[in-house]
């Protein structure tokens, strides 16, 4: 079995069980994604007690999403260069600080700083995206697709667990104490990052890999600037990033606006909550299935099928009368297609460029995802305000899903040839 190359010959990478790496990584993904996915439950108690407007709360959440995406490439680059453990640990501490300050924020500035800036940047350093990149570096090749799928599913399981837990805690101990409990959980998760330690300047090949990417010798000398130039000059990477924009567009709109849409259709708020819960529950199946399917069929076909499936599901949902049953069926169908884009997306990046700069390159793809989230929320709010319905945004989601399905088809699932692109030193 080939070990990852360390920058220091005297500091070889420790041998760790893939199961230990998988367990600790999934626990971190659950702990970090869970509280973030329940922020909507804090809207009413915070705005009522603090006297904040709904616009202020929404703006802080928008800042959080944007900074999460903006910080991801930089956090990934640092993780690629200095190891995942340092970045994950710092991210968890910043996340905890944001949650703690948010619990006491009494004015718009402190609220935007805590709920928006600190939590956003904290997530960029400790969310499941960094965990997945660590899996890509540490896992044997035969484990990689399944591990990435499990990491994605763990985030959704965190959403499924934390949603009812948050509601119970808010009723029993109050929203501010709930945030403090979540902050404490982030601190408790810090020791788990030790299992995801990756050696400084770790390079391909990964453990257990028998087919390292072409140009692996050049890869060990590749700088961050060269990696960026190579990726953004690679047509398949650009197409992949474009498709991921659509993923973010869908996810943000549905997460934030679906409950309100269902209420406007005459359904109860509880139906909206159960619909979102089903999305989280069925995403566990979808993410795990996507990770395993990506080992058996071309990943570009899998991505195209996911985006096409979303377009069909949305079109069917809005083409018929909205009922309790149709809403729950839509939640289950969309859940299967929710974060199932992540395993093939990160897997394609690893295939094309190896794992040396995987976290950073995936971070730029995720930034595109978060820009899509931001755009989806802005357009949804604007069209709802101007036209009095969500019809335009739903059908725009269908169109973008079809375009994403087409965009992913020409992607080439082959390693780049670095012999000519990266000069030897």
């Amino acid at each position: 079995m080939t070990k990852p190359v360390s920058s220091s010959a005297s500091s070889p990478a420790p041998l760790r069980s893939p199961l230990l790496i998988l367990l600790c990584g999934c626990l971190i993904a659950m702990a970090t994604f869970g509280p973030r996915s329940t922020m909507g439950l804090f809207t009413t108690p915070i705005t009522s007690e603090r006297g904040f407007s709904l616009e202020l709360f929404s703006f802080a959440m928008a800042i959080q999403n944007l900074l999460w995406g903006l910080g991801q490439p930089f956090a990934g680059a640092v993780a690629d260069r200095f190891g995942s453990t340092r970045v994950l640990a710092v991210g968890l501490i910043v996340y905890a600080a944001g949650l703690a300050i948010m619990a006491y924020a009494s004015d718009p500035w402190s609220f935007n700083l805590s709920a928006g800036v600190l939590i956003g940047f904290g997530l960029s350093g400790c969310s499941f995206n960094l965990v997945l990149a660590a899996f890509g570096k540490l896992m044997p090749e035969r484990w990689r697709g399944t591990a990435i799928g499990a990491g994605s599913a763990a985030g959704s399981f965190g959403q499924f667990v934390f949603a009812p837990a948050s509601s119970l805690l808010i009723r029993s101990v109050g929203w501010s104490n709930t945030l403090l409990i979540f902050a404490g959980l982030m601190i408790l998760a810090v020791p788990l990052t030790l299992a995801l330690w990756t050696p400084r300047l770790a390079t391909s090949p990964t453990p257990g890999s028998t087919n390292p990417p072409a140009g692996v010798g050049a890869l060990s000398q590749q700088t961050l600037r060269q990696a960026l130039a190579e990726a953004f000059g690679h047509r398949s990477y650009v197409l992949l990033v474009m498709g991921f924009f659509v993923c973010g567009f869908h996810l943000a709109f549905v997460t934030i606006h679906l409950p309100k849409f269902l209420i406007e259709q005459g359904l109860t708020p509880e139906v909206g909550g159960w619909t979102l819960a089903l999305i989280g529950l069925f995403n566990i199946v979808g993410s795990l299935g996507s990770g395993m399917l990506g080992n058996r069929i071309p990943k570009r076909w899998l991505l195209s099928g996911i985006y096409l499936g979303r377009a069909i599901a949305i079109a069917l949902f809005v083409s018929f009368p909205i009922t309790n049953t149709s809403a729950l069926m839509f939640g289950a169908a969309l859940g299967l297609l929710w974060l199932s884009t992540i395993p093939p997306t990160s897997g394609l990046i690893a295939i094309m460029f190896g794992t040396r700069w995987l976290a950073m390159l995936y971070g730029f793809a995720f930034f595109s995802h978060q820009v899509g989230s931001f755009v989806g929320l802005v357009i949804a709010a604007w069209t709802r305000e101007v036209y009095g319905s969500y019809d335009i945004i739903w059908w725009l989601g269908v169109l973008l899903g079809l375009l994403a399905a087409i965009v992913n088809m020409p992607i080439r699932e082959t390693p780049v040839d670095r012999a000519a692109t990266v000069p030897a030193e």
Side-chain angles (χ1 to χ4, degrees), residues 355-370:
T355 62
R356 169 67 181 87
W357 294 106
L358 176 61
M360 186 266 294
L361 293 178
Y362 180 80
F364 274 100
F366 184 72
F367 178 59
S368 173
H369 182 282
Q370 293 302 89

Side-chain angles (χ1 to χ4, degrees), residues 186-269:
M186 298 307 110
I187 298 300
L188 290 176
V190 171
L192 298 176
T193 65
L194 294 174
L196 300 182
W197 177 81
T198 53
R200 183 179 179 182
L201 293 175
T203 62
S204 295
T206 53
S209 175
T210 57
N211 297 295
V216 70
L219 176 60
S220 65
Q221 304 173 32
Q222 188 182 48
T223 66
L224 185 150
R225 180 176 297 180
Q226 289 171 335
L228 283 176
E230 178 182 70
F232 283 100
H234 195 279
R235 180 171 176 263
S236 292
Y237 180 77
V238 173
L239 293 175
L240 188 66
V241 169
M242 290 171 60
F244 219 28
F245 172 94
V246 176
C247 182
F249 185 98
H250 287 154
L251 266 59
F253 163 64
V254 171
T255 300
I256 302 301
H257 290 278
L258 178 62
K260 179 176 175 60
F261 170 77
L262 294 178
I263 291 174
E264 292 179 350
Q265 302 302 308
L267 307 185
T268 64

Side-chain angles (χ1 to χ4, degrees), residues 258 274-276 278-280 282 326-336:
L258 178 62
W274 279 109
T275 302
L276 292 178
L278 283 177
I279 290 175
F282 277 82
S326 70
L328 295 176
M329 290 177 62
F330 176 67
L334 202 61
L336 293 174

Side-chain angles (χ1 to χ4, degrees), residues 50-274:
R50 295 293 192 226
F52 296 155
S53 66
L54 180 60
E55 289 76 13
L56 172 62
F57 188 94
S58 299
F59 182 67
M61 295 301 107
I63 292 175
Q64 180 189 114
N65 274 281
L66 198 58
L67 294 184
W68 181 8
L70 183 63
Q72 193 76 63
F74 299 100
V78 175
D80 285 328
R81 185 169 181 81
F82 298 104
S84 301
T85 292
R86 294 177 176 89
V87 178
L88 287 167
V90 172
L92 285 165
I93 293 170
V94 174
Y95 191 1
L99 290 166
I101 297 173
M102 182 180 173
Y104 296 104
S106 58
D107 59 80
W109 286 105
S110 59
F111 188 73
N112 284 325
L113 173 65
S114 58
V117 177
L118 291 178
I119 293 180
F121 277 133
L123 282 166
S124 72
C126 68
S127 67
F128 65 89
N129 297 311
L130 267 293
V131 172
L132 299 186
F135 284 170
K137 289 176 178 288
L138 295 170
M139 286 295 187
E141 188 173 351
R142 65 183 183 276
W143 280 72
R144 189 182 298 158
T146 302
I148 291 174
S152 303
S156 282
F157 187 69
Q159 175 181 341
F160 184 74
V161 170
F162 273 82
S166 298
S167 298
L168 178 63
L169 286 171
I170 290 171
R171 287 197 303 268
S172 58
V173 301
W175 66 267
S176 59
N177 286 328
T178 300
L179 289 173
L180 293 176
I181 291 172
F182 289 166
L185 288 176
M186 298 307 110
I187 298 300
L188 290 176
V190 171
L192 298 176
T193 65
L194 294 174
L196 300 182
W197 177 81
T198 53
R200 183 179 179 182
L201 293 175
T203 62
S204 295
T206 53
S209 175
T210 57
N211 297 295
V216 70
L219 176 60
S220 65
Q221 304 173 32
Q222 188 182 48
T223 66
L224 185 150
R225 180 176 297 180
Q226 289 171 335
L228 283 176
E230 178 182 70
F232 283 100
H234 195 279
R235 180 171 176 263
S236 292
Y237 180 77
V238 173
L239 293 175
L240 188 66
V241 169
M242 290 171 60
F244 219 28
F245 172 94
V246 176
C247 182
F249 185 98
H250 287 154
L251 266 59
F253 163 64
V254 171
T255 300
I256 302 301
H257 290 278
L258 178 62
K260 179 176 175 60
F261 170 77
L262 294 178
I263 291 174
E264 292 179 350
Q265 302 302 308
L267 307 185
T268 64
E270 288 73 20
V271 175
W274 279 109

